[in-house]
Amino acid sequence: VASYYAEKRPFFLEWDEYFDPPLRVVHTRPIADPEGGLKVVGKAGGASVGALLVQDAITNVTVPGSQSSDTLSLPTRSWGGVTRWRQDVGASSALGLLLTGRASGDGYANGVFGGDGLVRLSDADQVRIQALGSATTYESPAAQAAGLPSGTLLGHAIQADYAHVGTEWAWDAAY
């Protein structure tokens, strides 16, 4: 389980709703010593797009464990980025895509990609789904010394829920 710390830096907080899919997978707190960054957001018609690119002087890597997580600092620069696209569909439904990536010069790389959707079936009923995939490579000497596995690790996550919120009662089911 990876620890989550709330972001407090203005650069990362401004327009963060552009980068916020249902499962919170965009974590900017590991960016410890940013040397520079670029953020572009915009809306046109029913589409919204956000893109973020940051260079960090060091590479902090969250090492999740079954009971807690640790942080490993690699002494190399890294580049990280996030792109999120969301398209409104009809009056109150939406589809979205997310791509994140981070890489250092010494063999560490991580990427998350996926899609999500929200379908409002009626004023009271909605379905939300998100599917994600990830790939992480720990080939740096510091990662190897910390006992992280070499090679590329693949993962996935799926979340789906159905919610009914009426005037008299409410219920939901989630996976």
Side-chain angles (χ1 to χ4, degrees), residues 143-164:
Q144 301 288 310
L148 293 170
S150 63
T152 300
L153 304 173
L154 302 175
H156 68 277
I158 298 173
Q159 176 179 324
D161 64 70
Y162 183 101
H164 173 88

mmCIF file of all heavy atoms in Angstrom, residues 143-164:
data_model
loop_
_atom_site.group_PDB
_atom_site.id
_atom_site.type_symbol
_atom_site.label_atom_id
_atom_site.label_comp_id
_atom_site.label_asym_id
_atom_site.label_seq_id
_atom_site.Cartn_x
_atom_site.Cartn_y
_atom_site.Cartn_z
ATOM 1 N N ALA A 143 18.225 0.899 -6.870
ATOM 2 C CA ALA A 143 17.019 0.078 -6.707
ATOM 3 C C ALA A 143 17.389 -1.377 -6.484
ATOM 4 O O ALA A 143 16.793 -2.061 -5.637
ATOM 5 C CB ALA A 143 16.121 0.225 -7.927
ATOM 6 N N GLN A 144 18.392 -1.854 -7.204
ATOM 7 C CA GLN A 144 18.850 -3.234 -7.031
ATOM 8 C C GLN A 144 19.422 -3.426 -5.619
ATOM 9 O O GLN A 144 19.150 -4.434 -4.969
ATOM 10 C CB GLN A 144 19.914 -3.576 -8.079
ATOM 11 C CG GLN A 144 19.441 -3.438 -9.508
ATOM 12 C CD GLN A 144 18.467 -4.517 -9.910
ATOM 13 O OE1 GLN A 144 18.742 -5.678 -9.694
ATOM 14 N NE2 GLN A 144 17.352 -4.125 -10.483
ATOM 15 N N ALA A 145 20.186 -2.438 -5.143
ATOM 16 C CA ALA A 145 20.760 -2.518 -3.792
ATOM 17 C C ALA A 145 19.675 -2.512 -2.723
ATOM 18 O O ALA A 145 19.846 -3.082 -1.649
ATOM 19 C CB ALA A 145 21.739 -1.362 -3.571
ATOM 20 N N ALA A 146 18.538 -1.863 -3.000
ATOM 21 C CA ALA A 146 17.434 -1.816 -2.036
ATOM 22 C C ALA A 146 16.589 -3.085 -2.082
ATOM 23 O O ALA A 146 15.630 -3.215 -1.328
ATOM 24 C CB ALA A 146 16.556 -0.595 -2.313
ATOM 25 N N GLY A 147 16.941 -4.012 -2.975
ATOM 26 C CA GLY A 147 16.222 -5.280 -3.033
ATOM 27 C C GLY A 147 15.011 -5.287 -3.946
ATOM 28 O O GLY A 147 14.223 -6.224 -3.913
ATOM 29 N N LEU A 148 14.859 -4.243 -4.760
ATOM 30 C CA LEU A 148 13.734 -4.227 -5.694
ATOM 31 C C LEU A 148 14.020 -5.184 -6.844
ATOM 32 O O LEU A 148 15.164 -5.344 -7.252
ATOM 33 C CB LEU A 148 13.507 -2.811 -6.217
ATOM 34 C CG LEU A 148 13.040 -1.826 -5.157
ATOM 35 C CD1 LEU A 148 13.067 -0.411 -5.697
ATOM 36 C CD2 LEU A 148 11.643 -2.182 -4.687
ATOM 37 N N PRO A 149 12.997 -5.816 -7.359
ATOM 38 C CA PRO A 149 13.219 -6.795 -8.420
ATOM 39 C C PRO A 149 13.635 -6.140 -9.726
ATOM 40 O O PRO A 149 13.190 -5.043 -10.044
ATOM 41 C CB PRO A 149 11.840 -7.461 -8.573
ATOM 42 C CG PRO A 149 10.877 -6.437 -8.083
ATOM 43 C CD PRO A 149 11.589 -5.684 -7.005
ATOM 44 N N SER A 150 14.517 -6.822 -10.450
ATOM 45 C CA SER A 150 14.896 -6.296 -11.761
ATOM 46 C C SER A 150 13.836 -6.706 -12.773
ATOM 47 O O SER A 150 13.018 -7.586 -12.530
ATOM 48 C CB SER A 150 16.269 -6.816 -12.164
ATOM 49 O OG SER A 150 16.220 -8.223 -12.288
ATOM 50 N N GLY A 151 13.873 -6.042 -13.896
ATOM 51 C CA GLY A 151 12.885 -6.332 -14.924
ATOM 52 C C GLY A 151 11.701 -5.389 -14.815
ATOM 53 O O GLY A 151 11.708 -4.432 -14.051
ATOM 54 N N THR A 152 10.693 -5.675 -15.604
ATOM 55 C CA THR A 152 9.506 -4.834 -15.646
ATOM 56 C C THR A 152 8.347 -5.540 -14.964
ATOM 57 O O THR A 152 8.058 -6.700 -15.265
ATOM 58 C CB THR A 152 9.132 -4.501 -17.100
ATOM 59 O OG1 THR A 152 10.239 -3.800 -17.693
ATOM 60 C CG2 THR A 152 7.897 -3.633 -17.171
ATOM 61 N N LEU A 153 7.721 -4.829 -14.036
ATOM 62 C CA LEU A 153 6.554 -5.337 -13.330
ATOM 63 C C LEU A 153 5.308 -4.744 -13.967
ATOM 64 O O LEU A 153 5.250 -3.540 -14.208
ATOM 65 C CB LEU A 153 6.618 -4.946 -11.853
ATOM 66 C CG LEU A 153 7.867 -5.379 -11.090
ATOM 67 C CD1 LEU A 153 7.862 -4.780 -9.697
ATOM 68 C CD2 LEU A 153 7.951 -6.884 -11.026
ATOM 69 N N LEU A 154 4.311 -5.572 -14.214
ATOM 70 C CA LEU A 154 3.067 -5.123 -14.811
ATOM 71 C C LEU A 154 1.944 -5.236 -13.791
ATOM 72 O O LEU A 154 1.953 -6.152 -12.956
ATOM 73 C CB LEU A 154 2.725 -5.965 -16.041
ATOM 74 C CG LEU A 154 3.779 -5.987 -17.144
ATOM 75 C CD1 LEU A 154 3.359 -6.953 -18.243
ATOM 76 C CD2 LEU A 154 3.999 -4.601 -17.705
ATOM 77 N N GLY A 155 0.988 -4.338 -13.843
ATOM 78 C CA GLY A 155 -0.144 -4.388 -12.925
ATOM 79 C C GLY A 155 -1.383 -3.824 -13.582
ATOM 80 O O GLY A 155 -1.327 -3.268 -14.680
ATOM 81 N N HIS A 156 -2.497 -3.983 -12.904
ATOM 82 C CA HIS A 156 -3.748 -3.432 -13.413
ATOM 83 C C HIS A 156 -4.699 -3.146 -12.256
ATOM 84 O O HIS A 156 -4.529 -3.667 -11.154
ATOM 85 C CB HIS A 156 -4.409 -4.389 -14.417
ATOM 86 C CG HIS A 156 -4.902 -5.650 -13.786
ATOM 87 N ND1 HIS A 156 -4.083 -6.723 -13.549
ATOM 88 C CD2 HIS A 156 -6.124 -5.995 -13.322
ATOM 89 C CE1 HIS A 156 -4.783 -7.679 -12.973
ATOM 90 N NE2 HIS A 156 -6.026 -7.266 -12.813
ATOM 91 N N ALA A 157 -5.671 -2.324 -12.526
ATOM 92 C CA ALA A 157 -6.710 -1.996 -11.552
ATOM 93 C C ALA A 157 -8.006 -1.763 -12.309
ATOM 94 O O ALA A 157 -8.003 -1.191 -13.392
ATOM 95 C CB ALA A 157 -6.339 -0.743 -10.755
ATOM 96 N N ILE A 158 -9.095 -2.224 -11.727
ATOM 97 C CA ILE A 158 -10.415 -2.007 -12.296
ATOM 98 C C ILE A 158 -11.335 -1.575 -11.174
ATOM 99 O O ILE A 158 -11.316 -2.168 -10.090
ATOM 100 C CB ILE A 158 -10.977 -3.278 -12.955
ATOM 101 C CG1 ILE A 158 -10.081 -3.709 -14.112
ATOM 102 C CG2 ILE A 158 -12.409 -3.060 -13.434
ATOM 103 C CD1 ILE A 158 -10.472 -5.038 -14.711
ATOM 104 N N GLN A 159 -12.099 -0.550 -11.428
ATOM 105 C CA GLN A 159 -13.109 -0.100 -10.466
ATOM 106 C C GLN A 159 -14.397 0.139 -11.233
ATOM 107 O O GLN A 159 -14.388 0.732 -12.307
ATOM 108 C CB GLN A 159 -12.688 1.199 -9.786
ATOM 109 C CG GLN A 159 -13.745 1.755 -8.860
ATOM 110 C CD GLN A 159 -13.296 3.034 -8.177
ATOM 111 O OE1 GLN A 159 -12.145 3.199 -7.835
ATOM 112 N NE2 GLN A 159 -14.220 3.931 -7.978
ATOM 113 N N ALA A 160 -15.486 -0.357 -10.672
ATOM 114 C CA ALA A 160 -16.791 -0.134 -11.287
ATOM 115 C C ALA A 160 -17.813 0.041 -10.178
ATOM 116 O O ALA A 160 -17.725 -0.616 -9.134
ATOM 117 C CB ALA A 160 -17.176 -1.313 -12.174
ATOM 118 N N ASP A 161 -18.748 0.954 -10.376
ATOM 119 C CA ASP A 161 -19.817 1.097 -9.398
ATOM 120 C C ASP A 161 -21.103 1.554 -10.078
ATOM 121 O O ASP A 161 -21.082 2.167 -11.139
ATOM 122 C CB ASP A 161 -19.436 2.029 -8.248
ATOM 123 C CG ASP A 161 -19.191 3.458 -8.671
ATOM 124 O OD1 ASP A 161 -20.163 4.135 -9.040
ATOM 125 O OD2 ASP A 161 -18.038 3.899 -8.613
ATOM 126 N N TYR A 162 -22.177 1.185 -9.440
ATOM 127 C CA TYR A 162 -23.519 1.582 -9.861
ATOM 128 C C TYR A 162 -24.137 2.271 -8.656
ATOM 129 O O TYR A 162 -24.092 1.726 -7.550
ATOM 130 C CB TYR A 162 -24.341 0.356 -10.248
ATOM 131 C CG TYR A 162 -25.720 0.707 -10.773
ATOM 132 C CD1 TYR A 162 -25.963 0.711 -12.131
ATOM 133 C CD2 TYR A 162 -26.765 1.034 -9.914
ATOM 134 C CE1 TYR A 162 -27.218 1.037 -12.622
ATOM 135 C CE2 TYR A 162 -28.019 1.363 -10.399
ATOM 136 C CZ TYR A 162 -28.236 1.358 -11.758
ATOM 137 O OH TYR A 162 -29.472 1.683 -12.244
ATOM 138 N N ALA A 163 -24.688 3.443 -8.841
ATOM 139 C CA ALA A 163 -25.275 4.183 -7.719
ATOM 140 C C ALA A 163 -26.680 4.649 -8.088
ATOM 141 O O ALA A 163 -26.919 5.110 -9.207
ATOM 142 C CB ALA A 163 -24.411 5.387 -7.363
ATOM 143 N N HIS A 164 -27.558 4.512 -7.136
ATOM 144 C CA HIS A 164 -28.918 5.062 -7.254
ATOM 145 C C HIS A 164 -29.101 6.015 -6.080
ATOM 146 O O HIS A 164 -28.980 5.615 -4.923
ATOM 147 C CB HIS A 164 -29.977 3.958 -7.193
ATOM 148 C CG HIS A 164 -31.378 4.503 -7.150
ATOM 149 N ND1 HIS A 164 -32.088 4.775 -8.283
ATOM 150 C CD2 HIS A 164 -32.172 4.855 -6.106
ATOM 151 C CE1 HIS A 164 -33.275 5.270 -7.939
ATOM 152 N NE2 HIS A 164 -33.340 5.324 -6.628
#
